[in-house]
Amino acid sequence: MMKKRITFMMVLMLVVTLISGCGKTFLSRLIRSDHGEFTEILTDFLDAANQNDKKKIEKLFAKNVSGEKFEKQLDKFLEFYSETIKDGTLDKDSILMRVTGSQDRNFYRIMDSGAKITKGNQTYYIYMEVVTADKEHPENKGIQIIDLATKKAYNDRYFLWHSKKGIFTQEKACEDYQTMLIYGNLREYYPVDRELSVQYFRNFIKRSTDYKELQAEIGKPNGELLKDEFVFEITQGVDEKTYVTCETCGDEIIRIKLVNEEEVLETIYEKDSEND
């Protein structure tokens, strides 16, 4: 009983400490520490880019990103950088960082954020994702993504930061990849050479709810809305950007919706509903 009381008192003291000014200071130090580390890495990268120092940039990037493809990306990036924003000013206050990882800061930690850079009267935006610790996979430690966008690209309705590893520039939105807007949700889009109609999905679901069978017939989706919710572009009988979303549980289709860029137009099928 005494041990339980002591443990309870220790927990209570910890909670009080965190709620008090001391606790807030402790937490804010953690946040400031992460923010400072992120800013330092981004600043080191910009300094190397200002000096056109490829070797320094390559050292800042994680080993799992390196290769011939990365070298070509880097050449393209530095050419664009030198012509536009070299020696620009980083707005450190614009960094709104996100941190993912373990409580053990030295075990696994990922940070990412976008930030604003100005050069004269021009504004640019830069995004960085960096792994600051990964004990199980040390080759992942370092910058994973750098993405530099013009203000025109950044303000575009279809703008997305790159999610794949590498170093990129975007003079216009999604310059080297495409996006789609699914009732207000922006997602990466992968073109597939085919023609699909709404009626096809109406007919398919009458005979099968097997998603693998659907894919065997029409091929891979154009993208994902959420995990296990796949998107197929409709190209027949429509005058606007229209899609079918197919939600699955394992290999079973549990919901099919017809949508456009703004809203859900119709639920074509839902498991255990009156339509089933």
Side-chain angles (χ1 to χ4, degrees), residues 2 35 48 54 62 91 103 128 136 142-143 148 182 188 193 204 209 230 235 257:
M2 182 61 71
H35 192 281
K54 290 185 182 180
D91 181 1
Q103 291 182 340
M128 182 177 77
E136 292 187 354
I143 298 174
L148 178 63
I182 311 296
E188 289 186 52
D193 185 16
F204 178 86
T209 58
F230 306 97
T235 56
K257 294 181 291 189

Side-chain angles (χ1 to χ4, degrees), residues 107-275:
F107 182 74
Y108 174 72
R109 208 159 188 82
I110 299 175
M111 293 184 259
D112 69 279
S113 178
K116 184 167 66 174
I117 300 178
T118 56
K119 177 72 177 290
N121 61 353
Q122 298 297 315
T123 300
Y124 297 82
Y125 296 87
I126 191 164
Y127 170 83
M128 182 177 77
E129 179 184 298
V130 57
V131 175
T132 57
D134 194 337
K135 281 192 175 180
E136 292 187 354
H137 303 283
E139 72 277 5
N140 294 340
K141 186 177 179 180
I143 298 174
Q144 295 283 331
I145 303 171
I146 287 286
D147 201 353
L148 178 63
T150 63
K151 186 176 182 179
K152 180 180 179 181
Y154 185 81
N155 288 336
D156 191 281
R157 185 185 191 193
Y158 292 97
F159 178 79
L160 272 180
W161 292 119
H162 282 83
S163 60
K164 53 189 176 182
K165 298 175 178 62
I167 184 166
F168 310 96
T169 59
Q170 296 190 62
E171 293 188 68
K172 56 183 180 180
C174 312
E175 183 179 1
D176 60 351
Y177 71 114
Q178 300 180 49
T179 61
M180 54 188 171
L181 194 61
I182 311 296
Y183 58 95
N185 300 284
L186 198 58
R187 293 293 184 269
E188 289 186 52
Y189 170 86
Y190 304 97
V192 181
D193 185 16
R194 65 183 169 211
E195 291 189 350
L196 289 175
S197 66
V198 180
Q199 192 58 44
Y200 167 81
F201 288 92
R202 296 188 198 279
N203 294 338
F204 178 86
I205 203 63
K206 289 178 182 178
R207 58 184 168 87
S208 177
T209 58
D210 189 329
Y211 181 69
K212 284 187 175 180
E213 183 179 338
L214 177 69
Q215 276 207 290
E217 290 188 10
I218 63 177
K220 62 184 180 181
N222 296 100
E224 288 187 34
L225 180 59
L226 298 169
K227 184 181 179 182
D228 299 325
E229 188 169 5
F230 306 97
V231 180
F232 297 88
E233 183 178 17
I234 298 302
T235 56
Q236 295 177 345
V238 294
D239 298 321
E240 59 182 347
K241 287 186 178 294
T242 309
Y243 306 90
V244 160
T245 66
C246 185
E247 187 177 345
T248 64
C249 181
D251 293 330
E252 182 185 12
I253 299 170
I254 60 173
R255 190 176 294 107
I256 295 178
K257 294 181 291 189
L258 177 66
V259 307
N260 62 16
E261 292 188 326
E262 305 297 338
E263 60 185 344
V264 177
L265 301 174
E266 178 187 352
T267 298
I268 296 173
Y269 166 80
E270 189 165 7
K271 183 181 179 181
D272 298 330
S273 71
E274 293 181 1
N275 296 325

Side-chain angles (χ1 to χ4, degrees), residues 66-111:
S66 61
E68 186 177 343
K69 183 178 179 181
F70 174 76
E71 291 176 6
K72 291 180 180 179
Q73 290 176 341
L74 180 55
D75 288 338
K76 181 181 177 182
F77 179 93
L78 288 174
E79 181 180 358
F80 177 80
Y81 188 91
S82 65
E83 292 174 354
T84 55
I85 203 170
K86 183 178 179 181
D87 297 318
T89 302
L90 172 66
D91 181 1
K92 296 180 181 179
D93 291 333
S94 68
I95 298 174
L96 299 174
M97 191 183 61
R98 178 177 59 179
V99 181
T100 306
S102 68
Q103 291 182 340
D104 179 356
R105 295 161 55 84
N106 296 318
F107 182 74
Y108 174 72
R109 208 159 188 82
I110 299 175
M111 293 184 259

Side-chain angles (χ1 to χ4, degrees), residues 43-54 56-57 60 77-78 81-82 86-87:
T43 301
D44 286 345
F45 169 80
L46 293 173
D47 288 344
N50 288 334
Q51 299 165 22
N52 201 45
D53 191 335
K54 290 185 182 180
K56 185 176 180 181
I57 291 174
L60 289 170
F77 179 93
L78 288 174
Y81 188 91
S82 65
K86 183 178 179 181
D87 297 318

